[in-house]
Amino acid sequence: MKTRVVGRKLYRVEGESKVTGSCLYSADIMRPDALWAGFLRSPFAHARVLKIDTSRAQRLPGVKAVITGKDVSPRLEGVSLLDKPVLAQDRVRYVGEKVAAIAAVDKETVEEALELVEVEYEELPAVFDPLEAMNPAAPLLHPDYASYQGPNKTDGLRNVRSRVESSKGDVEQGFSESAEIFENTFRTHAVHQGFIEPRAGLVEIDGRGRVGIWQCHQSPFGIRRWLAAHADIPEEMIVVHPMSTGGSFGGKQGAEDIIVTYYLARATRRAVKFVASYQEELQDGQPRHAAVITLRTGVKKDGTLWAWDAQVRYNGGAYGARTPQNRMNGTFMAAGTYRTPHVRMTGFIVYTNQVPSGYFRAPGEVQTLFAAESHMDEMARSLGIDPLEFRLRNALREGDTKPNGEPMRDPHALDVLKRIGRLSQWRRGKRKATNDSEGFVRGRGIAFADRHIGIG
């Protein structure tokens, strides 16, 4: 039977419009009499909001609406964990949190009006590191955490918003049977997705109360669902017009911006549009979680991995609203892709006074695999074993289970490692970093991992 797809060259349906410049993005959309929106943001990492005076901004010619937390529903928002107000209510928890929103006839007027809003704050102690935040003496960032709705919640741990664990075998027995024990702690930092197009959107409410939304977003049905739940609107009264998205990689989720813009459109009875600056993207995006990863490993005399205990503390920032499922599956990659019989992996997401983190391509896995493979190199060096040989000794084989207990069929781990060894001429070449004739420092290393099938 002839196939129409397999083995044939397929063209991207949107390719022509993108390369010719005719493609429309959210920032390109304008509706009749549309206003511009802007957001006033907190200068403090943690503070009580004592008073907001918007009177001067409201009197500025061209300003059509100024709203604060008292003008919107106090319902907490989130992709899965509902813990974030769309505009600050009684306190702010990170630099950049939205405190007020303004709609005006143009961007210049919006910027001028934002300068006229006066906010009185009472600064509170802040905490930025996840290990410090878990200390019982750290400031408690979410006193109402027990009332929040969402999955994977935990109790009794200071500022910890979620906890997951996976284990197999008996870790303590494994360590008692090991000839050598190694322990290392690794840190990774927050990383923005770096998409070219900043977040942007437009909301219009027609005379029958139907809401139209134009936004660069990776979950158009999610936008409709989240706004409907927040504002108590039937979903059939919301129409989302999906736009071409100039990059997302996990970073364009949630509905906070569009919900606030909806309130401005409702207050002004006109279409309202926002386009974030790149300063706002970096200040209030949803970057990859920074992490602190501690790995403790027991090894037999012959270099066989025997016990592996991993603790991952992800810096979740001030809210969990931007993390789908309220957990990081990267925890389950914290013991690498090896046939260790005794494994325990524990992952926490911790509240801090940083920008709320979100998903970024393989959520949490980049952090843990970096740590696991760096740990493998450290152990190989200490044991005097070649890094490739150390991985070959411990690679998964038919019938083994992964560190999270998942059974493996036809893993090909040994085949891949051996082929890489041949292709790279690993045993012949020098692996020390050297300066070449062009002044570049060149070196060689090896890392080994697997990845599950996604849900796309």
Side-chain angles (χ1 to χ4, degrees):
M1 183 179 74
K2 292 186 92 174
T3 176
R4 296 170 56 195
V5 177
V6 177
R8 293 172 179 260
K9 188 174 183 178
L10 299 178
Y11 294 92
R12 293 180 61 142
V13 295
E14 85 285 20
E16 182 177 351
S17 66
K18 286 185 175 178
V19 299
T20 60
S22 61
C23 181
L24 290 178
Y25 294 90
S26 295
D28 298 317
I29 300 299
M30 284 301 290
R31 302 292 291 169
D33 296 321
L35 302 170
W36 285 87
F39 308 123
L40 182 69
R41 300 179 181 277
S42 166
F44 295 107
H46 195 199
R48 285 194 183 88
V49 180
L50 302 179
K51 181 182 177 183
I52 304 178
D53 184 353
T54 63
S55 58
R56 292 174 64 210
Q58 289 174 325
R59 290 196 299 268
L60 184 70
V63 170
K64 302 302 179 181
V66 182
I67 62 174
T68 65
K70 66 180 175 58
D71 302 306
V72 303
S73 169
R75 183 185 189 275
L76 299 178
E77 192 53 49
V79 176
S80 60
L81 178 68
L82 306 184
D83 69 346
K84 188 179 189 306
V86 295
L87 287 175
Q89 299 288 324
D90 61 336
R91 70 168 67 187
V92 291
R93 293 180 172 91
Y94 66 100
V95 173
E97 182 165 0
K98 298 182 190 70
V99 177
I102 292 176
V105 293
D106 53 42
K107 289 188 287 186
E108 291 73 21
T109 304
V110 168
E111 291 171 5
E112 185 178 353
L114 290 171
E115 296 287 337
L116 299 177
V117 178
E118 298 177 3
V119 184
E120 185 180 342
Y121 296 98
E122 178 191 346
E123 196 168 359
L124 298 171
V127 61
F128 303 100
D129 181 87
L131 299 187
E132 293 177 14
M134 293 175 74
N135 189 306
L140 183 63
L141 302 189
H142 285 267
D144 298 328
Y145 170 80
S147 67
Y148 296 163
Q149 300 175 42
N152 299 304
K153 291 180 62 181
T154 186
D155 293 318
L157 296 171
R158 191 75 165 181
N159 290 319
V160 174
R161 76 164 204 250
S162 76
R163 181 183 187 275
V164 294
E165 184 173 282
S166 177
S167 63
K168 71 173 187 177
D170 185 326
V171 171
E172 300 311 323
Q173 176 188 332
F175 280 120
S176 69
E177 296 171 351
S178 299
E180 291 198 56
I181 295 175
F182 299 89
E183 182 170 337
N184 286 301
T185 295
F186 302 88
R187 285 181 175 262
T188 66
H189 54 268
V191 182
H192 189 275
Q193 292 82 359
F195 37 72
I196 297 175
E197 176 201 30
R199 286 167 296 162
L202 183 146
V203 177
E204 182 179 58
I205 306 172
D206 69 14
R208 295 169 56 188
R210 293 178 301 185
V211 182
I213 297 173
W214 292 259
Q215 187 180 15
C216 51
H217 201 282
Q218 64 186 68
S219 302
F221 286 98
I223 301 172
R224 184 175 68 173
R225 184 172 67 253
W226 295 319
L227 177 58
H230 183 94
D232 196 23
I233 306 170
E235 284 194 26
E236 60 268 24
M237 292 294 286
I238 302 172
V239 179
V240 178
H241 304 270
M243 304 301 300
S244 293
T245 300
S248 174
F249 319 113
K252 289 175 180 171
Q253 297 225 43
E256 299 166 37
D257 293 334
I258 217 70
I259 289 173
V260 177
T261 308
Y262 160 79
Y263 280 114
L264 289 171
R266 193 175 73 174
T268 60
R269 298 186 181 184
R270 289 169 65 174
V272 179
K273 172 180 180 175
F274 77 91
V275 178
S277 69
Y278 234 94
Q279 177 179 332
E280 290 178 298
E281 275 292 350
L282 297 175
Q283 191 177 43
D284 195 17
Q286 45 193 76
R288 172 180 285 152
H289 293 67
V292 182
I293 303 151
T294 299
L295 305 177
R296 184 168 177 257
T297 308
V299 184
K300 291 284 196 176
K301 285 184 178 180
D302 63 356
T304 300
L305 293 171
W306 203 247
W308 195 304
D309 191 12
Q311 280 215 0
V312 188
R313 283 77 49 140
Y314 292 104
N315 189 334
Y319 298 97
R322 298 171 184 175
T323 304
Q325 303 176 35
N326 189 34
R327 73 175 190 181
M328 297 296 284
N329 289 336
T331 296
F332 307 129
M333 309 291 278
T337 304
Y338 301 104
R339 57 198 313 242
T340 314
H342 304 286
V343 179
R344 178 172 58 209
M345 297 175 288
T346 310
F348 307 94
I349 306 182
V350 185
Y351 282 123
T352 68
N353 293 113
Q354 302 275 26
V355 58
S357 295
Y359 274 10
F360 181 177
R361 298 301 296 269
E365 296 175 24
V366 175
Q367 300 92 309
T368 52
L369 287 170
F370 154 72
E373 289 303 290
S374 299
H375 187 57
M376 288 291 288
D377 281 346
E378 292 287 335
M379 288 190 288
R381 187 178 298 112
S382 296
L383 293 166
I385 303 174
D386 177 85
L388 174 58
E389 176 59 33
F390 189 41
R391 288 168 171 82
L392 282 165
R393 290 186 197 184
N394 292 286
L396 291 163
R397 291 154 172 82
E398 185 69 33
D400 285 339
T401 59
K402 289 173 62 175
N404 65 357
E406 179 187 347
M408 295 294 291
R409 290 180 57 193
D410 202 19
H412 288 287
L414 289 170
D415 298 338
V416 169
L417 283 167
K418 289 175 181 177
R419 189 173 184 197
I420 289 297
R422 290 194 301 271
L423 290 172
S424 66
Q425 298 184 335
W426 181 267
R427 308 217 182 267
R428 281 194 238 163
K430 292 181 180 178
R431 288 188 298 279
K432 292 183 83 172
T434 56
N435 285 297
D436 66 11
S437 59
E438 297 176 342
F440 291 105
V441 177
R442 301 184 186 274
R444 187 162 47 148
I446 186 168
F448 182 62
D450 75 289
R451 188 157 200 275
H452 57 84
I453 296 171
I455 61 171

